[in-house]
Amino acid sequence: MKRNKLALSLAGLLLGPAAGVAFAQSAPAAAPLDQQTPAQQQQAAPAPSNAKQLQTITVTGSALPRVDTETPSPVTVITAQDIARSGFTTVSDVVRAVSADNSGTIPPSFYAGFAAGSAGVALRGLTVNSTLVLIDGKRAASYPLVDDGIRSFVDLQTIPLAAVERIEVLKDGASSIYGSDAIAGVVNVILKPSFQGVQGSAEVGNSQHGGGFHKNATLVAGMGDLDTDHYNVYFSAEWEQDQPIRLRDRDYPFNSQNLTGIGGPDLRVGNPLNTNGSTIGTVAPATLGTPGNLLTGVATGPFQPLRPCTDGTQAVTVPGTGPGTGTYCAQDNAYQYGFAQQYTNRGGLYARYTFKFNDTTRAYASLSYYESQLHANGTPSQIQSGVPNNTDTITLPPGNPSNPFPGQYALINYAFGDIPTATDTDTHNLRAVLDLQGTFGDWNYEASVAGNRQWMQYTNLGLISYQGLLNAITNGTYNFANPASNSASVRNSVSPPDIANNHADMDVFDFSVNRELFDLAGGPAGFASGVQFRHEAQLQQELNPGGIYQGLGDTFITGARNVSGIYAEFDAPLLENLEMDASGRFDHYPRVGNNFSPKVGLKWKPFDWVALRATYSKGFRAPQFGESAGSFSAGFVNSSVEGQGAPASFLAAHGNSNYVTIPYALEEGSAGNPNLKPEKSQSFTAGLVIQPVSWLNASIDYYNIRKSNVIVPADPGVALLNYYQTGTVLPGYTMQFDTPDPLHPTAPLRPVFVGADYINGNWLKTTGVDLDLQAHFTFGNGITYISELQGTQIFEWKEDVAGEVESYVGTQGPYNLSSGAGTPRTRANWANTVEYGPFSLTATIYFTSKEYESAEDVTGTVKCFDALGPNGGPLAGNCTMSSFTYGNLVGSYKFNDHITFTASVDNVTDRKPPIDPLNYAANLYNPTYDFAGIVGRFWNVGVKVKF
């Protein structure tokens, strides 16, 4: 094919309609190769002739400085200019927009998760602990809370964006250079090496539909020229605050638990048959199944409200005269207490001093401090809970002031509306680095020491103490009928604050050398080697010690270890158009053992405008502290017995009552296993990079990753199906069960807890392709047009757990992972920028593909998991969460050399999110991929100054 025809074909693909395609921020559009910056060369074919005259840099994934920055591995480079065009104001938003980020990613909006207040990236959908996050090529401390009670990761929200020079995303295994955790890839946040002058910005924004008022301010100031003054010092400061967004300000059905308007059930709380209550509460006359045990109430008559149905509740009557009938006050918790966005406040400082001794030797010292605060309001706690103590049939004794039945017990349903429920996190991140770079003879060297500590106060308010509740009921000190009369001391005795102080440490010493060895046909061969010693530690205090609090999961993470590693890399330009790169690393982990990770890569340029590249590597991930002996965790998912795959005979025994058809909180637990082996991986990539003309380039890269010894919780779906079918508990599992179905008390009990030790599963495999097209046009009338199209398509994502192969691509699985967001087959975006004089306007379209509402890791089957529709069918059309496409506009006007005005509109068309009945991180929508939809149209205006 001639280059002109190929260029026209690529341009047509880029500029033509892109149905279902969009992507993430990446390298800037192509300029001619001999004019490109190192970041631009990352996605373009390298210049063949005058390369040795260009400045060398070190690219993420390689230990060797190089002129040709395009390595055999695919790397996406996100420059400061790309970030400005995106309108994003946090590292989290920038990185999580990368199309390779998929299932297991942690959205900032998952406030009920184990790692509330954080955000994490999961390249290739291989969880946040398989993507290594670096700052200036150095490891960083983990977030003090672990994802799902197991996975340690770096919180992207505590990295200062104002000081970022660029972000490099290596979409390939890199254990041969960096060691553990780099199975899926590496995100390297590179901060400004120096800065002169003063630069600041201020921005405010708000949602069209109310809530979410946004404020952001940054300042960067520096002085000193390294070439003339031999020093540079600069500091940066940034601050951002976002106000809450209430669900009541958003459209139905996302603002309600009453789904009857879309063909679903009424999930408002208050119905005693669903074992939950409203803030009004209900009581029914009762006896005790076990004399003297207030937890064994059995209704003997109809229920009735404790007081009139006020406070936004609605009276609902269940016809009849006996138990299981009566009137209750239905309460819509989503409308009354729900939030799409919670209050956050973040700010930080970064300072860096660099001294240049001579042309080959320089040193720098940096210090950063960042604080991130979250205040997440919750719904009132229920008096009824299945775990850790079952209070579903709790009663008030005769004589209790709130018991209206003289001489009888009262079965009670109630929510503590007078006790505010909230989760508060206050996270601090302190990091210091000393780095020295220079030459000794023919060798280049770099030595660095980095110390990083994160600490946090984690507070839960409004949780119900089991013993405090029993005391209040027995002594009659808490007034359920008139909660406004309760004193602060009474409320505190029922709900004492749960406060934990957690921390994580990462202290690292790195020393590396590199040099040219000898000349080959294509140029000098290069060699690099390095050693690393690091200390890692983490303590997450027990979340619910001794099961003090009702309905609260539990996590305890502890561990400390010293890790050492040595690595080497050899780069051989065998011919002018053929390069081979080989690297390997040996790591030692105490109690885990030794590991060697090799990698080899090839890059071939048959023509000056075409490059073929491929890599093969082995990687590993050592068991983290949350997976090791002494640690444990337990959390909740919402599902119904029917949705869990119970057979028709089990459902029929309950007469298809609410007990088996309405979702409830199922607790799933896992414990650390001292016998776990490290995860191992084999990765293969193959790609094509072409630049048929100077204004257009493209790359396409195939990836294939297979992990073995995958560390996973034992599959609860297998245990649940076994119980429903046989009535027995599988060996190795622990199960706890609910109180009987009030309408069918002799029918089998439903599980409220299922748990087992972490295990090494058999294997996991994912394959797919990344596409990157970029075009850059400069017209004679002064208009510049830049277009960038990138996307990731997953071909397969499947896992073998205990001999059962489960496939997740294009489904809501793995449902037990992070926020249960699922594995969309395609993620992408398309950015188009027009510049004319002082004006700049960027329009970006973001796309996430549909998901089938199945969750094989929970049900053990591929059938529809969504059973909230009519007759137990799906609520989502065709049991599918639809795809989601939305667009952002970001504009700027440069008033003069010192002042630039900015404005942006997010979700320009005010696109609503698709319905996702399964997602337990939000109310009927998927906050991981579709958060922009629930926020709606959002505007920002700002100003930037530069001197």
Side-chain angles (χ1 to χ4, degrees):
M1 179 183 290
K2 294 183 178 180
R3 292 173 62 174
N4 289 347
K5 291 184 178 180
L6 178 60
L8 291 174
S9 299
L10 292 173
L13 177 60
L14 180 66
L15 303 178
V21 183
F23 119 103
Q25 302 299 314
S26 131
L33 285 171
D34 58 354
Q35 300 176 19
Q36 288 182 355
T37 67
Q40 287 174 304
Q41 293 177 23
Q42 191 59 49
Q43 294 294 338
S49 56
N50 61 344
K52 292 187 178 181
Q53 301 174 10
L54 300 177
Q55 182 180 3
T56 62
I57 67 168
T58 301
V59 179
T60 301
S62 173
L64 282 164
R66 57 183 68 229
V67 173
D68 178 4
T69 60
E70 183 199 343
T71 68
S73 294
V75 180
T76 293
V77 180
I78 308 168
T79 67
Q81 187 178 38
D82 292 326
I83 295 171
R85 289 172 179 164
S86 73
F88 294 137
T89 57
T90 67
V91 172
S92 165
D93 289 340
V94 174
V95 172
R96 292 189 62 256
V98 173
S99 60
D101 186 38
N102 209 280
S103 60
T105 183
I106 302 175
S109 54
F110 187 23
Y111 307 108
F114 279 91
S118 68
V121 58
L123 297 177
R124 307 302 184 207
L126 294 183
T127 69
V128 288
N129 59 0
S130 289
T131 296
L132 181 62
V133 176
L134 305 173
I135 302 175
D136 284 328
K138 299 170 177 59
R139 286 186 177 247
S142 297
Y143 189 59
L145 302 178
V146 294
D147 177 37
D148 281 347
I150 175 176
R151 288 176 288 274
S152 298
F153 65 98
V154 173
D155 177 22
L156 299 174
Q157 296 197 120
T158 55
I159 301 175
L161 183 65
V164 169
E165 177 85 0
R166 68 184 185 275
I167 299 173
E168 295 181 352
V169 182
L170 171 67
K171 294 177 286 187
D172 191 11
S175 289
S176 64
I177 296 295
Y178 302 113
S180 179
D181 307 337
I183 288 178
V186 178
V187 174
N188 189 8
V189 181
I190 300 171
L191 306 180
K192 300 179 189 297
S194 63
F195 184 84
Q196 291 177 271
V198 178
Q199 183 174 296
S201 69
E203 179 184 83
V204 296
N206 206 4
S207 168
Q208 173 181 319
H209 303 289
F213 189 75
H214 164 81
K215 292 180 283 187
N216 176 273
T218 67
L219 176 66
V220 185
M223 57 185 287
D225 186 293
L226 287 172
D227 292 327
T228 60
D229 301 321
H230 292 280
Y231 81 93
N232 178 265
V233 60
Y234 80 90
F235 82 95
S236 71
E238 62 184 71
W239 171 74
E240 179 167 305
Q241 185 182 90
D242 294 289
Q243 296 296 327
I245 296 176
R246 289 184 173 271
L247 286 181
R248 69 175 63 166
D249 296 325
R250 295 303 181 262
D251 290 340
Y252 182 83
F254 307 109
N255 62 0
S256 178
Q257 290 178 299
N258 187 352
L259 308 183
T260 55
I262 56 173
D266 185 352
L267 298 179
R268 291 178 296 175
V269 299
N271 188 345
L273 299 179
N274 295 342
T275 60
N276 56 49
S278 67
T279 56
I280 304 299
T282 62
V283 287
T287 60
L288 298 183
T290 302
N293 187 345
L294 294 178
L295 303 180
T296 62
V298 179
T300 60
F303 44 77
Q304 64 187 48
L306 273 168
R307 52 194 173 97
C309 293
T310 56
D311 299 335
T313 63
Q314 177 186 7
V316 176
T317 299
V318 178
T321 58
T325 66
T327 299
Y328 66 90
C329 301
Q331 188 165 35
D332 196 330
N333 274 348
Y335 186 86
Q336 202 161 343
Y337 300 103
F339 287 82
Q341 176 175 292
Q342 303 279 5
Y343 171 85
T344 57
N345 188 68
R346 295 184 294 272
L349 301 170
Y350 176 77
R352 181 164 174 155
Y353 175 80
T354 304
F355 186 80
K356 182 179 179 181
F357 296 95
N358 51 50
D359 288 341
T360 61
T361 307
R362 68 178 60 189
Y364 78 84
S366 67
L367 181 68
S368 64
Y369 170 77
Y370 209 97
E371 182 177 12
S372 179
Q373 298 173 318
L374 165 72
H375 178 76
N377 294 287
T379 58
S381 293
Q382 293 283 334
I383 194 174
Q384 293 172 295
S385 175
V387 289
N389 303 282
N390 199 312
T391 56
D392 282 349
T393 54
I394 195 168
T395 60
L396 304 179
N400 184 288
S402 301
N403 184 348
F405 308 115
Q408 299 183 73
Y409 290 90
L411 191 67
I412 183 171
N413 300 75
Y414 182 77
F416 291 85
D418 61 321
I419 302 178
T421 302
T423 296
D424 292 334
T425 64
D426 189 0
T427 307
H428 307 261
N429 188 325
L430 182 64
R431 188 171 190 267
V433 177
L434 293 174
D435 185 278
L436 174 66
Q437 302 176 39
T439 61
F440 183 79
D442 293 331
W443 291 90
N444 305 309
Y445 68 85
E446 179 177 7
S448 67
V449 177
N452 193 182
R453 182 178 179 87
Q454 280 206 48
W455 68 98
M456 163 198 286
Q457 183 175 86
Y458 181 60
T459 304
N460 279 304
L461 304 174
L463 301 172
I464 303 304
S465 161
Y466 175 66
Q467 193 58 52
L469 174 62
L470 290 186
N471 292 340
I473 288 177
T474 302
N475 301 327
T477 53
Y478 183 91
N479 194 322
F480 296 93
N482 183 20
S485 66
N486 293 315
S487 66
S489 61
V490 167
R491 291 169 180 157
N492 190 68
S493 67
V494 173
S495 178
D498 178 24
I499 300 175
N501 292 291
N502 311 308
H503 68 260
D505 296 280
M506 178 67 72
D507 304 313
V508 187
F509 169 76
D510 284 297
F511 180 76
S512 63
V513 295
N514 67 80
R515 62 164 294 173
E516 293 182 356
L517 292 179
F518 44 80
D519 287 332
L520 295 173
F527 173 78
S529 182
V531 296
Q532 182 182 84
F533 302 94
R534 68 180 188 267
H535 172 74
E536 305 172 347
Q538 189 163 5
L539 173 65
Q540 182 175 337
Q541 293 182 337
E542 189 170 355
L543 181 63
N544 192 6
I548 296 173
Y549 299 100
Q550 288 293 98
L552 178 66
D554 201 5
T555 300
F556 175 68
I557 307 297
T558 182
R561 62 190 177 192
N562 297 316
V563 180
S564 57
I566 182 171
Y567 61 89
E569 180 181 7
F570 177 71
D571 183 73
L574 303 175
L575 302 171
E576 287 189 4
N577 62 355
L578 179 63
E579 174 190 353
M580 182 193 74
D581 187 276
S583 57
R585 176 169 173 136
F586 178 85
D587 283 279
H588 173 72
Y589 277 76
R591 296 184 298 277
V592 175
N594 303 323
N595 184 82
F596 178 71
S597 301
K599 182 174 183 178
V600 62
L602 290 171
K603 186 182 67 176
W604 177 47
K605 286 190 59 189
F607 309 103
D608 63 352
W609 54 280
V610 176
L612 299 171
R613 60 191 180 192
T615 66
Y616 173 79
S617 64
K618 291 185 177 182
F620 84 110
R621 187 182 71 79
Q624 294 182 318
F625 298 131
E627 299 158 329
S628 304
S631 299
F632 56 84
S633 67
F636 297 90
V637 296
N638 286 323
S639 62
S640 66
V641 171
E642 182 179 31
Q644 292 162 17
S649 57
F650 192 97
L651 304 178
H654 293 266
N656 289 291
S657 69
N658 289 359
Y659 189 86
V660 294
T661 59
I662 295 295
Y664 69 102
L666 173 66
E667 187 176 20
E668 298 176 347
S670 298
N673 185 345
N675 300 316
L676 288 175
K677 301 175 183 178
E679 294 184 346
K680 298 293 184 75
S681 70
Q682 296 186 63
S683 301
F684 169 74
T685 68
L688 169 68
V689 183
I690 57 175
Q691 187 175 10
V693 289
S694 62
W695 50 266
L696 178 66
N697 64 30
S699 67
I700 184 169
D701 291 278
Y702 168 82
Y703 67 88
N704 184 312
I705 304 173
R706 181 185 175 94
K707 287 205 300 185
S708 58
N709 293 333
V710 179
I711 300 174
V712 294
D715 188 352
V718 174
L720 291 170
L721 280 179
N722 175 79
Y723 167 72
Y724 291 134
Q725 293 171 356
T726 69
T728 62
V729 178
L730 276 178
Y733 286 84
T734 300
M735 300 183 78
Q736 296 177 17
F737 301 94
D738 205 348
T739 54
D741 182 346
L743 298 182
H744 303 274
T746 61
L749 305 178
R750 66 183 180 186
V752 293
F753 173 85
V754 56
D757 288 350
Y758 291 110
I759 62 172
N760 283 112
N762 289 341
W763 54 265
L764 176 157
K765 182 180 180 182
T766 181
T767 64
V769 66
D770 295 316
L771 173 68
D772 184 349
L773 294 175
Q774 302 176 7
H776 183 282
F777 306 92
T778 300
F779 301 100
N781 56 6
I783 295 177
T784 298
Y785 172 56
I786 305 166
S787 187
E788 302 174 275
L789 171 66
Q790 295 191 7
T792 298
Q793 177 86 356
I794 301 177
F795 297 148
E796 61 179 341
W797 203 115
K798 56 187 180 181
E799 185 174 21
D800 184 337
V801 180
E804 297 290 332
V805 178
E806 300 172 351
S807 180
Y808 301 135
V809 64
T811 76
Q812 195 85 25
Y815 190 64
N816 286 322
L817 179 62
S818 298
S819 60
T823 309
R825 186 176 295 275
T826 306
R827 290 198 70 208
N829 80 49
W830 184 25
N832 294 274
T833 299
V834 176
E835 296 176 344
Y836 178 67
F839 291 98
S840 175
L841 181 66
T842 299
T844 306
I845 300 172
Y846 297 89
F847 171 81
T848 301
S849 62
K850 64 184 179 181
E851 292 179 356
Y852 184 68
E853 299 278 285
S854 66
E856 203 172 347
D857 57 319
V858 174
T859 65
T861 71
V862 296
K863 74 173 188 177
C864 181
F865 189 29
D866 173 10
L868 290 179
N871 303 315
L875 184 62
N878 297 317
C879 193
T880 300
M881 181 184 73
S882 301
S883 62
F884 184 59
T885 305
Y886 71 100
N888 293 348
L889 282 176
V890 179
S892 66
Y893 175 76
K894 189 176 181 180
F895 184 73
N896 55 38
D897 289 340
H898 304 295
I899 300 175
T900 300
F901 297 105
T902 62
S904 64
V905 182
D906 299 338
N907 195 356
V908 175
T909 59
D910 202 25
R911 184 75 180 272
K912 301 300 185 291
I915 291 176
D916 183 1
L918 293 187
N919 195 276
Y920 48 81
N923 190 57
L924 282 184
Y925 64 93
N926 193 317
T928 300
Y929 306 121
D930 307 334
F931 184 67
I934 198 65
V935 173
R937 188 179 292 118
F938 196 100
W939 58 264
N940 295 279
V941 294
V943 61
K944 295 180 179 179
V945 296
K946 183 177 182 180
F947 300 97

